[in-house]
Amino acid sequence: MSGPTHETPAIAVNGLECRYGHAVVLSGVSFAVRRGEIFFVIGGSGCGKSTLLRNLIGLHEPAAGTVKFFGESLADAGDARRRELLQTFGVLYQGGALWSSLTLRENVALPLEEYTPLTAAERDELVALKLAQVGLTGYGDHYPAELSGGMRKRAGLARALALDPDIVFFDEPSAGLDPLTSRSLDELIRQLRDTLGTTCVVVSHELASIFALADRVLMLDRTAKGVIAEGNPHELAKDGADGRVRAFLTRGENQP
Amino acid sequence: MSAPSVIAPVPHVEARLEGDCLHIVLGGRWRIMQRRPTWADVVEKALMGGNGAPRRVRFVFAEEMEGWDSALVLFVGEALRWCRGHDAFCDLSAVPEAVRRMADQLTGAADQADAMPPAPALNILAFVGYAATDIWNKARDIAAFVGECALGAVNTARAPGKFRWRDCIDEMQQCGAMALPIVGLISFLVGVTLAYTGAIVLRQYGGDIYLADLIGLAMVREMGAVMTAVVLAGRTGAAFAATLGNMRASEEIDALTTFGIRPVDFLVLPRVVALGLMTPLLALYANALGIIGGMAISYSLLHISPSAYWNEMLQIVTLRSVNVGLIKATAFGLIVGLAGCLRGLEAERSAAGVGRAATSAVVTALLLLIIADAFFAVAFNALNW
């Protein structure tokens, strides 16, 4: 068996097609995310960003094509292997998606209880660390309903990071946050990549975050039902061949 | 970092004591999913020679360090704490900045967590007091809600055009027509059960034929209305609570309020009216099915012909008895609807809150239902109906 080499991309998507029933939302989507990269999936509302994300993380079975994490596909893996593969990534859902019947501490501790050999004391310590890293020290005993939207999102990030995943997916991390909170979340994403080399895939249409963070972006389009651009956002905004891409990245302000 | 392969490299630690300095060489791959060496074991093994505790602990990464995560941070955290306890200096200058920072944060965060005071326990007196005021508040909430609904009903009666007929008819379909199979089945079986139970006693006195009176009266005055209401409490009351609770969680109710539309008029009245209209109809249907159930058993068990059964029953089941049942059914329907809507509107804004609202709606409805039934029994007795 030839194990994954260091050149294997973190995520490799090939000829992906996404549908809802008979309606094709995306087709012919191919791209690769390199290790330690901050990769943005961008595009206007309804272009299929969230659909693509759901297909990547295995919530939807792709209608065609493959998604490979470090050279292995979720869809082809057996049950046990699939569980292992799922641990290589964490997901920060749009509203945090914290389990409402558990406290923050229990939310973060649940994956640790499920998958690690840690003792209860070590787990508590680690949970406290994760909460401290997202700036929620002292909120461990609060229930999600008692927190503001921004705090819930940060707690969701702490939970996504519980198992130290190699890849973290962010679904609209800045949606519904004020500019400062949103920026502090961006800062957390950058720190994560810089300190632990975590690969970050961010679904967003927040221009400020895109330009501040993204190494590369993948732009989707509703009418094209697929990818219309891929590359560094600064370069795309300056001399991207496609007018739609430039218009999106400059908010249509530099149009003739 | 790379994906977990089938044979994962394990974390390992090499400890060397040189003079008063303990050298810790870290290598392998540290993953939170795997077992890792504990600091206590490492230190015990290193100090086995018994040269006394080191004054300095120095961490270095080996060449073949493949990757690390929180597992290493936990290990270094243990070391930091040990050093603090043994008055040794922990030298982390040779490991990545991130490890050092996170290990510091780890020990700091845990200390802070320790410092948090536990929630004060309630003494029994305070507990009883809170429970009592809680009951009082709940009773007041119910009264206020019923009052609000009555006001809403008056407003709607003044301007009937504003009533949500469309919603009301949808709800009637849902809680009425769709409930026919389950109400029918249950009432039929209640009739059967009554027949078997009654037959035990009546047979002994040779009063077989009076089984018809027993079943007819019991169904029409009591069981038809009560069984229908119980089914609706579980089926429709819980659904009302879940729907409204979810609407509250997603701020739909707030949106109505800020448009100046009263949630009671818009959401509660159509539902309560639908139940108030459909429950007596369902009860009538339940009466009929129960009587047929009893008739079937009387015929097969005691050989009472259906016509004899019917004629005997009409001796005692008058239109007034039927009316008693229908009046009760209407009241029960309103109770079930109001309980469901009240619990839904006051649900907590979370998934668990919606679940509790549905449970509480059914419990409240059943409780009020039985209380109302007892009240009706006394009232109709006084009226001599």
Side-chain angles (χ1 to χ4, degrees):
Chain A
M1 188 186 142
S2 63
T5 64
H6 274 282
E7 287 77 54
T8 322
I11 308 169
V13 176
N14 209 337
L16 184 73
E17 182 176 308
C18 315
R19 310 175 179 212
Y20 281 114
H22 289 294
V24 175
V25 182
L26 292 168
S27 68
V29 177
S30 299
F31 62 92
V33 181
R34 293 191 280 264
R35 290 165 194 225
E37 191 171 39
I38 299 184
F39 188 88
F40 270 62
V41 178
I42 64 173
S45 302
C47 70
K49 296 187 298 277
S50 300
T51 311
L52 176 63
L53 180 68
R54 292 178 69 83
N55 274 270
L56 291 183
I57 61 184
L59 288 176
H60 272 196
E61 190 95 336
T66 55
V67 176
K68 288 185 170 164
F69 292 99
F70 301 103
E72 268 189 87
S73 156
L74 269 182
D76 300 341
D79 251 9
R81 188 66 190 140
R82 189 184 154 88
R83 271 162 73 92
E84 278 174 34
L85 275 177
L86 286 175
Q87 290 158 28
T88 59
F89 63 81
V91 184
L92 170 57
Y93 291 92
Q94 207 175 107
L98 298 166
W99 298 302
S100 56
S101 58
L102 305 179
T103 63
L104 291 201
R105 191 192 307 286
E106 291 165 336
N107 260 284
V108 182
L110 184 69
L112 292 172
E113 278 168 42
E114 199 71 14
Y115 289 114
T116 67
L118 298 182
T119 64
E122 288 174 325
R123 220 161 43 216
D124 287 350
E125 234 175 55
L126 204 53
V127 170
L129 171 66
K130 300 285 177 197
L131 288 176
Q133 282 175 338
V134 297
L136 286 176
T137 301
Y139 287 95
D141 290 321
H142 284 62
Y143 283 92
E146 301 164 356
L147 302 180
S148 71
M151 288 161 105
R152 253 179 263 174
K153 222 165 239 193
R154 278 185 283 158
L157 180 57
R159 188 182 66 181
L161 298 180
L163 295 174
D164 292 315
D166 296 324
I167 306 168
V168 180
F169 291 95
F170 298 82
D171 190 5
E172 306 272 3
S174 34
L177 299 185
D178 66 78
L180 290 179
T181 314
S182 157
R183 207 179 126 201
S184 74
L185 202 64
D186 285 356
E187 209 42 58
L188 280 172
I189 297 175
R190 190 206 306 281
Q191 257 178 33
L192 189 64
R193 194 269 303 268
D194 291 349
T195 57
L196 296 174
T198 309
T199 309
C200 298
V201 178
V202 187
V203 170
S204 177
H205 48 224
E206 192 66 29
L207 286 177
S209 302
I210 294 169
F211 284 115
L213 282 181
D215 294 322
R216 282 192 308 140
V217 300
L218 180 81
M219 181 154 175
L220 303 177
D221 184 75
R222 175 149 62 156
T223 40
K225 294 194 194 311
V227 181
I228 56 169
E230 188 182 342
N232 182 283
H234 296 280
E235 287 162 21
L236 287 177
K238 233 187 296 162
D239 44 32
D242 198 315
R244 288 169 293 180
V245 183
R246 270 203 313 273
F248 182 90
L249 290 173
T250 57
R251 300 213 291 179
E253 280 160 9
N254 293 346
Q255 291 305 295
Chain B
M1 282 194 210
S2 61
S5 55
V6 180
I7 310 157
V10 291
H12 58 79
V13 183
E14 200 190 300
R16 243 180 18 251
L17 193 60
E18 282 174 10
D20 65 349
C21 180
L22 183 61
H23 289 268
I24 304 289
V25 185
L26 303 162
R29 187 195 287 161
W30 295 70
R31 299 296 274 172
I32 190 85
M33 317 294 190
Q34 297 168 347
R35 300 215 159 274
R36 61 171 171 87
T38 67
W39 175 254
D41 290 348
V42 168
V43 109
E44 194 186 345
K45 221 188 282 170
L47 301 183
M48 212 121 78
N51 289 3
R55 309 291 305 154
R56 229 153 64 85
V57 176
R58 183 176 162 76
F59 280 88
V60 275
F61 270 19
E63 283 285 295
E64 33 79 72
M65 184 68 169
E66 278 192 45
W68 57 272
D69 64 8
S70 301
L72 180 66
V73 176
L74 281 172
F75 181 77
V76 174
E78 284 174 6
L80 277 178
R81 222 165 277 150
W82 185 88
C83 288
R84 224 179 281 160
H86 290 72
D87 221 8
F89 173 69
C90 192
D91 180 1
L92 289 169
S93 56
V95 300
E97 154 80 24
V99 178
R100 206 170 6 181
R101 213 190 41 233
M102 280 159 69
D104 276 338
Q105 220 175 357
L106 180 77
T107 46
D111 293 346
Q112 266 180 338
D114 291 344
M116 272 212 299
L122 284 181
N123 67 39
I124 182 102
L125 218 58
F127 182 78
V128 171
Y130 278 124
T133 51
D134 211 35
I135 291 173
W136 170 243
N137 286 338
K138 272 185 188 158
R140 246 190 13 193
D141 285 349
I142 293 179
F145 180 70
V146 170
E148 209 178 324
C149 290
L151 273 180
V154 170
N155 288 340
T156 306
R158 279 205 199 127
K162 285 222 169 156
F163 187 67
R164 306 279 305 174
W165 286 110
R166 186 71 250 155
D167 293 352
C168 185
I169 288 165
D170 281 352
E171 290 299 338
M172 279 158 84
Q173 157 90 359
Q174 277 299 321
C175 72
M178 308 291 269
L180 282 175
I182 180 74
V183 170
L185 177 69
I186 287 181
S187 328
F188 184 84
L189 293 180
V190 166
V192 167
T193 320
L194 280 176
Y196 273 111
T197 319
I200 298 172
V201 179
L202 293 176
R203 240 182 195 168
Q204 290 177 359
Y205 301 101
D208 296 14
I209 186 67
Y210 294 114
L211 197 55
D213 300 30
L214 171 71
I215 294 167
L217 207 59
M219 282 313 297
V220 163
R221 284 188 73 104
E222 202 57 51
M223 298 310 279
V226 170
M227 291 317 286
T228 305
V230 168
V231 169
L232 290 184
R235 200 181 170 279
T236 309
F240 286 178
T243 311
L244 298 196
N246 221 339
M247 289 178 78
R248 194 173 129 83
S250 58
E251 299 183 321
E252 290 174 54
I253 307 244
D254 298 345
L256 282 176
T257 312
T258 48
F259 267 116
I261 302 169
R262 301 195 324 164
V264 164
D265 293 2
F266 190 86
L267 297 170
V268 177
L269 281 184
R271 287 178 165 76
V272 172
V273 167
L275 261 184
L277 291 177
M278 294 321 282
T279 316
L281 291 184
L282 280 172
L284 211 54
Y285 168 76
N287 293 347
L289 266 288
I291 289 166
I292 290 172
M295 199 182 266
I297 299 306
S298 306
Y299 180 69
S300 61
L301 199 68
L302 303 177
H303 308 292
I304 301 168
S305 77
S307 62
Y309 179 96
W310 184 253
N311 286 328
E312 175 57 36
M313 191 189 76
L314 289 187
Q315 298 291 309
I316 190 150
V317 176
T318 57
L319 196 57
R320 183 172 276 181
S321 314
V322 177
N323 286 341
V324 166
L326 295 188
I327 290 169
K328 291 210 290 198
T330 310
F332 292 168
L334 296 177
I335 287 173
V336 168
L338 287 171
C341 291
L342 169 66
R343 293 309 183 211
L345 284 179
E346 60 181 30
E348 287 163 54
R349 297 163 188 271
S350 69
V354 173
R356 276 195 291 274
T359 308
S360 163
V362 176
V363 173
T364 310
L366 292 181
L367 179 72
L368 293 180
L369 215 110
I370 297 305
I371 293 175
D373 199 27
F375 170 78
F376 276 124
V378 173
F380 287 130
N381 183 52
L383 287 172
N384 207 13
W385 273 26

